[in-house]
Amino acid sequence: MTVTSAPSTTVSVVPVTNVTSYGQFTGPPPTTTGALSTEVTALTIAASPPEQYKLQYPADGNLHQKQPAPYTPGGGLGTNGSEPVYRVISDFDYESVALALYQEWIELDLFHWGLEQFSAEEFEAAGLSAEDRYLIQFMAEQEVGHATALSNMLGPSAPKQCTYDYPVTNVREFIDFNQKLTRWGESGVYGFLNHLDSRETAQILLQSITTEARQQMIFRQFDGLFPMPVWFEVGIPQSWAWSLLAPYISSCPGNQTRLVWQNFPSLRVLNQPNPARRNGSNVWNETTGGYANTLSTANITASESCLRGPMGQNCSPAITHNRTYPLSYPGRQVYLQWESPGDRVGPNNSYVTTTSAGVPKFAAWVSQLNVTYTPLQNVTRNAAVTTQPNSTAYDGDPMVNGTMFLAITDTDLYVTPFNLSLINPHVNALAMYQAG
């Protein structure tokens, strides 16, 4: 006997077009510039003491509230049986999900672009087989689903596909840019997810961003890096994610929905660790630009490349690698150079980098659960040197590791994972740092 099942009704996906134009924006000056804005009621959001009710629950393992149903404790959000509504319900929701959608669109295009831009032979030379390339293709297909889900929650004004400008010239740079771009995409959602008013929207985003977390780890493995060198993944403010993303968007449709988030000036790590080298910490000026600080292979000889190096110095695509020479280490001198505000960035060059910070004084190392500050030294105009800190999230877990975030600030403000955005008024510039 043969058993069959009729196909169930499926939800159509959002329309996807083939992007045909790449490179820097060369069109006419934009008619609208700057972030979206309405009436601003204060220059900053002031820190305040904790809400007292959050300190009152006894947390002793006993039940202290009536149970709404058997096997169900009291409390929780969205647990009263009302039908879920999967849509944004506030400006905060809309702007946050719209930012995430911009990220999904660029990932969808970037993954396809790399597969079309570089030949099978070039991928093979970088250690990536046909099966690896299909995995990248499947990740692009995942982005269609993510873009569909987010577009549906935003409604008809959801941002559409744009054109892009990628800072890569070969497969190795393509992979490294991907693992950095998916890092800020993942961390950008973690930063706002638990602040959303719409818990239903947060649920869908949670189920999409955990997929992106897997993508980021895979690109780390393709990059020859240890797949997950931290105990916790960091969350960052929306303005950080937008600052890192916007420079790689060339142009968008004329009626594109604009965003409220700030664009910080670019920070360049002059001795950014280079995962393509056998000794990746012994480098100078080997990136393709600021913000992402993607590795460059331009000055790496065959003997210096770790692609086919011996054990401990090998960075070919693999499940995992350990390095004899770490990419970075506590006490490492890190040389920094940053742009002044006022640069035109983002879609159609219609956003402008800004900062309200004062004189740069600190480097803020943002990773896992911590923000650790180190003083800037030898500050000359827009350049300085600082020292990589020796701090931990918990005993045995070095805080500075993985693909993380580095900011220049005017003060060493105390912040935690849930209120990290309070640092924004003090940020002078922003970058990715390849700690491990």
Side-chain angles (χ1 to χ4, degrees), residues 203-436:
Q203 181 65 42
I204 301 300
L205 274 168
L206 175 65
Q207 293 179 239
S208 67
I209 205 60
T210 48
T211 304
E212 185 154 330
R214 289 159 171 80
Q215 294 176 352
Q216 204 275 334
M217 190 178 83
I218 289 167
F219 281 119
R220 283 184 61 86
Q221 292 171 310
F222 284 174
D223 215 6
L225 295 166
F226 192 83
M228 45 179 183
V230 293
W231 292 7
F232 303 90
E233 298 298 349
V234 68
I236 58 171
Q238 295 98 322
S239 289
W240 291 35
W242 180 234
S243 294
L244 294 164
L245 169 62
Y248 306 107
I249 304 175
S250 179
S251 64
C252 293
N255 60 348
Q256 182 81 324
T257 296
R258 299 184 64 77
L259 296 182
V260 71
W261 310 114
Q262 185 175 4
N263 294 89
F264 292 108
S266 169
L267 170 62
R268 188 163 188 169
V269 183
L270 297 179
N271 60 337
Q272 167 83 318
N274 191 332
R277 279 190 173 275
R278 296 191 183 193
N279 186 354
S281 66
N282 185 21
V283 294
W284 185 260
N285 198 23
E286 289 190 356
T287 66
T288 61
Y291 287 118
N293 283 265
T294 300
L295 72 81
S296 170
T297 62
N299 297 320
I300 301 177
T301 65
S303 62
E304 294 168 333
S305 170
C306 55
L307 188 60
R308 292 172 178 81
M311 183 177 293
Q313 299 179 37
N314 186 285
C315 64
S316 60
I319 292 175
T320 188
H321 281 299
N322 285 326
R323 283 180 174 260
T324 301
Y325 305 108
L327 284 179
S328 73
Y329 47 86
R332 182 176 189 259
Q333 296 292 290
V334 179
Y335 294 85
L336 306 170
Q337 187 177 74
W338 57 93
E339 299 294 329
S340 298
D343 287 343
R344 294 290 183 92
V345 295
N348 308 82
N349 285 341
S350 65
Y351 291 82
V352 183
T353 61
T354 63
T355 177
S356 60
V359 176
K361 295 180 180 179
F362 295 93
W365 305 77
V366 183
S367 178
Q368 304 198 64
L369 306 178
N370 298 40
V371 178
T372 300
Y373 296 92
T374 55
L376 298 179
Q377 300 170 323
N378 301 330
V379 181
T380 305
R381 295 183 180 177
N382 285 24
V385 62
T386 194
T387 303
Q388 184 168 319
N390 186 14
S391 58
T392 60
Y394 288 107
D395 188 25
D397 175 26
M399 190 277 290
V400 177
N401 210 338
T403 308
M404 55 173 291
F405 302 89
L406 189 60
I408 300 297
T409 67
D410 64 358
T411 188
D412 55 349
L413 182 72
Y414 176 73
V415 288
T416 65
F418 198 66
N419 69 351
L420 179 58
S421 60
L422 293 181
I423 199 176
N424 284 351
H426 304 283
V427 172
N428 298 92
L430 188 65
M432 305 292 293
Y433 183 68
Q434 194 64 60

Side-chain angles (χ1 to χ4, degrees), residues 41-342:
T41 59
L43 293 179
T44 61
I45 297 175
S48 59
E51 297 167 296
Q52 287 303 303
Y53 79 91
K54 295 180 179 179
L55 305 175
Q56 295 170 358
Y57 181 73
D60 56 8
N62 296 312
L63 296 177
H64 298 277
Q65 298 164 284
K66 292 181 179 180
Q67 292 181 249
Y71 313 108
T72 306
L77 298 174
T79 60
N80 62 1
S82 61
E83 181 181 351
V85 177
Y86 295 96
R87 68 184 301 271
V88 294
I89 60 174
S90 66
D91 286 349
F92 186 93
D93 287 1
Y94 188 99
E95 294 297 318
S96 300
V97 177
L99 168 62
L101 181 54
Y102 270 98
Q103 178 77 24
E104 305 293 3
W105 281 130
I106 195 174
E107 289 168 355
L108 188 160
D109 181 77
L110 175 60
F111 301 164
H112 279 308
W113 175 85
L115 293 172
E116 296 172 359
Q117 179 74 13
F118 304 113
S119 67
E121 291 75 19
E122 289 174 293
F123 274 100
E124 295 283 348
L128 295 168
S129 67
E131 291 175 320
D132 298 322
R133 298 194 295 277
Y134 178 74
L135 180 54
I136 297 175
Q137 177 185 326
F138 184 76
M139 287 192 278
E141 293 166 3
Q142 290 176 320
E143 300 306 332
V144 176
H146 299 171
T148 299
L150 272 57
S151 295
N152 289 343
M153 292 188 294
L154 289 168
S157 62
K160 303 298 189 291
Q161 281 181 283
C162 300
T163 67
Y164 305 100
D165 182 24
Y166 301 132
V168 302
T169 59
N170 56 50
V171 171
R172 192 61 197 263
E173 293 172 359
F174 165 69
I175 294 299
D176 190 68
F177 181 58
N178 274 311
Q179 70 93 4
K180 289 181 167 69
L181 179 131
T182 51
R183 168 77 278 136
W184 76 63
E186 179 189 349
S187 293
V189 171
Y190 293 157
F192 71 72
L193 189 63
N194 289 308
H195 293 286
L196 291 175
D197 292 298
S198 170
R199 306 315 301 158
E200 300 94 326
T201 298
Q203 181 65 42
I204 301 300
L205 274 168
L206 175 65
Q207 293 179 239
S208 67
I209 205 60
T210 48
T211 304
E212 185 154 330
R214 289 159 171 80
Q215 294 176 352
Q216 204 275 334
M217 190 178 83
I218 289 167
F219 281 119
R220 283 184 61 86
Q221 292 171 310
F222 284 174
D223 215 6
L225 295 166
F226 192 83
M228 45 179 183
V230 293
W231 292 7
F232 303 90
E233 298 298 349
V234 68
I236 58 171
Q238 295 98 322
S239 289
W240 291 35
W242 180 234
S243 294
L244 294 164
L245 169 62
Y248 306 107
I249 304 175
S250 179
S251 64
C252 293
N255 60 348
Q256 182 81 324
T257 296
R258 299 184 64 77
L259 296 182
V260 71
W261 310 114
Q262 185 175 4
N263 294 89
F264 292 108
S266 169
L267 170 62
R268 188 163 188 169
V269 183
L270 297 179
N271 60 337
Q272 167 83 318
N274 191 332
R277 279 190 173 275
R278 296 191 183 193
N279 186 354
S281 66
N282 185 21
V283 294
W284 185 260
N285 198 23
E286 289 190 356
T287 66
T288 61
Y291 287 118
N293 283 265
T294 300
L295 72 81
S296 170
T297 62
N299 297 320
I300 301 177
T301 65
S303 62
E304 294 168 333
S305 170
C306 55
L307 188 60
R308 292 172 178 81
M311 183 177 293
Q313 299 179 37
N314 186 285
C315 64
S316 60
I319 292 175
T320 188
H321 281 299
N322 285 326
R323 283 180 174 260
T324 301
Y325 305 108
L327 284 179
S328 73
Y329 47 86
R332 182 176 189 259
Q333 296 292 290
V334 179
Y335 294 85
L336 306 170
Q337 187 177 74
W338 57 93
E339 299 294 329
S340 298

Side-chain angles (χ1 to χ4, degrees), residues 14-30:
V14 68
V16 177
T17 58
N18 291 326
V19 177
T20 58
S21 174
Y22 292 94
Q24 296 182 353
F25 178 71
T26 58

